Amino acid sequence: RLMYVDSDSTLIVEMPSAVHEAPLTALHSAFTCFFENLPFDSASINANVLSNVGASNSLIPDLRVSFQNMRDLAAEVIVPVIGETAFSQHIDVLMDKLQLALDADPSILMVIMAVVTESKRYFSPAKNSPSRMAFMRDGSIRSATEFITASNVLPTLDAPVIVEGHTWCLVESVSFKVWVRGDEAIDLETHDPAFVAEGTLYPTDDMDSVLAMIKKGADAMREKIVSMALTIDPDVDVVALKDPAIKFNIKKGNIITKIAGAMRETAYCRYSAWYEK
């Protein structure tokens, strides 16, 4: 995936992987479920949760929520939420990307950043290493099933994917940082706990403030939907749209499961890319 930053003539090259996509996949499902439970007219308001679709000329995020008024010919698509994952990459680059998106659209209501790190930089089997020799004796590339079953472990975050003595994927930590908009545009430099929260999902669990901030952002999105619905139909049932029984729910276990499963996919992709090289 390519991104060109015009202001300083920088080309950012990213190689998305299953682990890169996984942290926000659970959020994708949670947002979709939340919108499906809200009783707005889906023929009038088009709510989408998409991945790798442009939020602006400067960012194609890993997660993008958008609203569209289908009853107004001149209405522009609104992007209230963006999410990005950094998988063993420099955080400064990701922060620059997020700032460019906010500069392009200061009305964004919430920004979600997930950071996944590996204990050491991935490298392929060294020449003449026992691992390389074992794979070369196969004569042909292994299927995903053959490769993964050779690891002899079920997928968990604390179990590295090791095949023929070589570590193909090992997650060291998973953390999140979330910003929500107040009266002013989101400030990525703020430390105000009313507008930003950060925490670790793995190896320690310190996600309460992060989940609370995401729910705060979801409430802001609900208010945006209510506002759009009233614009389209002044007699819309606002009480039903604001029903407190309809809650945004995200389970930490779902995020962990997605990442643990993605480790195996990423490991096999690395192996197959190396073997076929």
Side-chain angles (χ1 to χ4, degrees):
R1 191 171 67 181
L2 304 177
M3 174 184 166
Y4 181 71
V5 182
D6 186 62
S7 59
D8 58 3
S9 301
T10 299
L11 179 65
I12 298 173
V13 181
E14 294 180 317
M15 298 296 290
S17 66
V19 170
H20 178 100
E21 303 293 337
L24 298 180
T25 301
L27 284 170
H28 187 293
S29 300
F31 284 131
T32 299
C33 183
F34 180 58
F35 297 142
E36 288 177 347
N37 289 333
L38 290 175
F40 62 87
D41 179 12
S42 59
S44 298
I45 300 175
N46 180 27
N48 279 318
V49 186
L50 302 171
S51 301
N52 299 314
V53 175
S56 68
N57 290 334
S58 57
L59 179 66
I60 300 176
D62 298 313
L63 173 73
R64 188 196 83 162
V65 176
S66 66
F67 299 151
Q68 184 179 16
N69 182 345
M70 303 299 286
R71 304 304 184 194
D72 184 350
L73 185 64
E76 295 185 356
V77 173
I78 298 169
V79 179
V81 176
I82 58 173
E84 272 283 298
T85 298
F87 176 41
S88 293
Q89 72 184 69
H90 296 297
I91 304 302
D92 290 346
V93 174
L94 179 54
M95 292 294 287
D96 288 344
K97 289 169 60 179
L98 294 175
Q99 187 59 60
L100 286 170
L102 288 169
D103 291 344
D105 185 2
S107 68
I108 290 173
L109 298 177
M110 178 164 61
V111 174
I112 303 170
M113 179 175 73
V115 179
V116 182
T117 62
E118 293 186 277
S119 59
K120 58 183 178 181
R121 188 178 182 86
Y122 164 74
F123 60 91
S124 57
K127 185 178 181 180
N128 296 325
S129 67
S131 298
R132 185 180 186 281
M133 295 302 181
F135 285 116
M136 291 302 102
R137 283 194 295 269
D138 289 341
S140 62
I141 190 170
R142 298 184 188 184
S143 68
T145 299
E146 291 170 332
F147 177 81
I148 291 301
T149 53
S151 67
N152 290 317
V153 293
L154 291 173
T156 61
L157 285 184
D158 59 357
V161 182
I162 301 174
V163 180
E164 299 295 355
H166 187 79
T167 300
W168 295 95
C169 189
L170 171 58
V171 169
E172 180 180 48
S173 66
V174 181
S175 61
F176 284 81
K177 191 168 186 177
V178 181
W179 298 262
V180 296
R181 195 182 195 280
D183 294 331
E184 304 294 331
I186 288 175
D187 177 8
L188 295 180
E189 300 298 324
T190 187
H191 297 287
D192 189 334
F195 304 114
V196 65
E198 57 183 319
T200 302
L201 178 64
Y202 176 81
T204 58
D205 181 355
D206 182 25
M207 285 284 286
D208 288 349
S209 63
V210 168
L211 297 181
M213 193 63 66
I214 294 175
K215 290 178 180 178
K216 183 175 180 178
D219 288 340
M221 282 195 292
R222 187 203 297 245
E223 289 300 318
K224 176 62 70 174
I225 288 175
V226 170
S227 176
M228 292 178 68
L230 283 169
T231 298
I232 295 168
D233 178 9
D235 296 322
V236 71
D237 189 347
V238 173
V239 174
L241 285 171
K242 293 188 175 185
D243 184 355
I246 302 173
K247 301 180 183 295
F248 172 82
N249 292 304
I250 178 66
K251 297 179 180 179
K252 292 177 286 188
N254 288 348
I255 305 174
I256 291 172
T257 298
K258 299 296 184 187
I259 300 173
M263 287 171 61
R264 295 156 73 93
E265 290 187 61
T266 296
Y268 183 71
C269 286
R270 287 172 168 177
Y271 156 73
S272 58
W274 164 74
Y275 191 94
E276 293 174 340
K277 191 173 180 179

